Amino acid sequence: MTESSPSAAPVSEVLSVPERVLLGPGPSMVNPRVLQAMMQNMIGYLDPDYVLMLEDVSGLLGDVFQTGDAATMALSGTGSAGMEAGLSSLLEPGDTVIVCICGFFGERMVDMATRVGANVVALRSEWGKTFPPEMLSDALEENPDVKLVAIIHAETSTGVRQPLEDISRLAREHGALFMVDAVTSLGGNNLSFDEWDIDYSYSATQKCLGCPPGLSPVAVSQRALDSIRSRETPPTSWYLDLSLNANYWYSPRVYHHTSPVSMVLALREGLRIVVEEGLENRFARHERNAAALRAGLEALGMEVVPPEDARLAQVTPVWIPEGVDDAEVRARLLSEYNIEIGKGLGQFDGKVWRFGLMGESSRADYVLLSLSALENILPTVGYEVAPGAAVSAASKTLASV
Ligand SMILES: *Cc1c(COP(=O)(O)O)cnc(C)c1O
């Protein structure tokens, strides 16, 4: 055996994970109550006591997705599992799907739908702006046989919040199912599944729900379930088949795959915290802290990427100032202040920094800490700032909203 073989590698005695302040695009901070919930005893996936907890999770998800009769459950896997479950369950090979794209995650939908064998109509609009409904309207005229329209509600790559009412109405007028990525929006800004007539929406536990990564909470309309149950061919993914998963989360409650018990308990606690805070209070908290962060970043002379009326509270991308080393600043935030922020994705790689204030990470003290850290780091990398200006601007905003 060589010295570098895995079996020869030393294993440190105590597991030690540094205490980071997670201000990137996820994972975000986890509430200690959630970590406690994960330390409960192990239990069987059909134990009557566990079934009660599954019912709690379904009910709480109904509240958070704001739906009365959609099936609500948590898929095993991260947000991308929710995306893949939707595309592979709702589309058969040859079905037409229109994907509305104005950022990185829209492109991921195209990749997945193509693998499913669907006829993919990819509508690409400018990154950093909202997707224009007129583009969808034209595409629907050209593709009358469309089965599904898919879009991202909160584009984490560009910090844009997409209005969904017009998109939903257009999809419905053309008899298409409507799928919404709510990975970064659920628990962070308003998402009204019933009111916006959505057929399928999915999220992730690690963004605005205050839990570790590992589950994808989803809501499926009865119309979507009926469509899946009347398919001619079974979904290409067995594991992510939404109807098979629904048969475990709901009657007849049969075994499909082993439920990740500790993660489900974590989600139950995370959702209880969301409901205790209240959705409206939670959305207001995200808006207030984001406003303070933007004021601080602007006081540093930085420009927020999306225009004012399109901004998402959970993620604030700013253009990296000319001549400043992207990686160096992020590395120093991490090593000197324990702060993680996000880098740019896709065409924004090397061009933007993304500050996430999601769920448990949306706190005034984190806003002030990160701005203060930037005020200290930036002058040492050749970008002069007035000491105290950013923190002062953020404090003023916090005092006024
Ligand atoms: C993070 C994210 C995803 C992917 O989720 P994973 O949990 O990383 O699989 C999908 N869509 C959006 C909008 C996201 O922000």
Side-chain angles (χ1 to χ4, degrees), residues 91-97 113-114 116-120 145-147 231 233:
L91 294 170
E92 298 197 49
D95 281 348
T96 297
V97 54
T114 305
V116 164
N119 167 34
V120 184
D145 60 341
V146 61
K147 171 91 173 284
R231 288 174 60 117
T233 54

Side-chain angles (χ1 to χ4, degrees), residues 334-363:
L334 193 69
S335 64
E336 294 170 22
Y337 295 87
N338 267 318
I339 297 173
E340 177 181 277
I341 65 165
K343 69 198 291 282
L345 286 180
Q347 54 178 266
F348 281 178
D349 187 11
K351 300 199 174 99
V352 307
W353 286 321
R354 291 180 299 154
F355 293 83
L357 297 174
M358 301 184 181
E360 289 292 310
S361 292
S362 174
R363 279 175 32 177

Side-chain angles (χ1 to χ4, degrees), residues 100-375:
C100 307
I101 308 162
C102 57
F104 181 85
F105 289 102
E107 294 292 348
R108 183 171 292 184
M109 282 185 173
V110 171
D111 190 356
M112 287 181 182
T114 305
R115 290 172 189 228
V116 164
N119 167 34
V120 184
V121 180
L123 305 180
R124 295 187 170 87
S125 72
E126 195 184 338
W127 282 41
K129 306 241 163 73
T130 55
F131 180 88
E134 312 80 68
M135 244 176 121
L136 173 62
S137 172
D138 294 346
L140 284 165
E141 297 300 334
E142 285 161 28
N143 297 277
D145 60 341
V146 61
K147 171 91 173 284
L148 178 71
V149 170
I151 196 163
I152 313 281
H153 186 208
E155 234 319 335
T156 322
S157 62
T158 61
V160 165
R161 177 209 301 224
Q162 178 68 42
L164 293 177
E165 288 90 334
D166 287 348
I167 307 283
S168 162
R169 184 179 44 74
L170 286 167
R172 188 66 59 225
E173 278 171 12
H174 288 78
L177 295 168
F178 184 41
M179 163 167 155
V180 173
D181 176 310
V183 172
T184 292
S185 60
L186 192 73
N189 59 258
N190 190 31
L191 173 88
S192 208
F193 188 91
D194 284 357
E195 198 184 317
W196 298 344
D197 216 1
I198 300 171
D199 288 298
Y200 176 64
S201 185
Y202 57 94
S203 189
T205 42
Q206 80 276 17
K207 304 230 176 166
C208 291
L209 298 174
C211 298
L215 288 178
S216 176
V218 303
V220 197
S221 73
Q222 291 307 320
R223 190 167 40 213
L225 276 176
D226 290 345
S227 152
I228 298 166
R229 287 179 175 140
S230 60
R231 288 174 60 117
E232 283 172 17
T233 54
T236 46
S237 171
W238 176 88
Y239 197 77
L240 296 172
D241 180 331
L242 289 170
S243 66
L244 295 183
N245 277 275
N247 288 347
Y248 168 67
W249 279 81
Y250 290 90
S251 168
R253 239 182 244 293
V254 290
Y255 165 71
H256 178 243
H257 64 270
T258 306
S259 177
V261 170
S262 307
M263 269 310 298
V264 170
L265 299 186
L267 176 60
R268 177 175 173 277
E269 196 61 24
L271 293 169
R272 273 160 45 86
I273 294 168
V274 171
V275 169
E276 275 168 26
E277 182 176 7
L279 290 179
E280 291 304 325
N281 293 336
R282 203 171 170 88
F283 303 155
R285 169 166 63 83
H286 279 84
E287 288 299 337
R288 178 172 185 263
N289 291 327
L293 176 70
R294 290 178 201 128
L297 292 170
E298 278 163 3
L300 292 174
M302 289 191 233
E303 194 194 336
V304 176
V305 174
E308 230 172 296
D309 59 358
R311 290 177 186 168
L312 191 60
Q314 297 90 308
V315 189
T316 298
V318 290
W319 299 108
I320 299 170
E322 194 79 25
V324 171
D325 188 320
D326 171 20
E328 184 185 349
V329 171
R330 284 187 290 106
R332 287 189 48 199
L333 280 169
L334 193 69
S335 64
E336 294 170 22
Y337 295 87
N338 267 318
I339 297 173
E340 177 181 277
I341 65 165
K343 69 198 291 282
L345 286 180
Q347 54 178 266
F348 281 178
D349 187 11
K351 300 199 174 99
V352 307
W353 286 321
R354 291 180 299 154
F355 293 83
L357 297 174
M358 301 184 181
E360 289 292 310
S361 292
S362 174
R363 279 175 32 177
D365 55 339
Y366 294 157
V367 171
L368 298 172
L369 173 70
S370 54
L371 291 171
S372 164
L374 284 173
E375 281 176 353

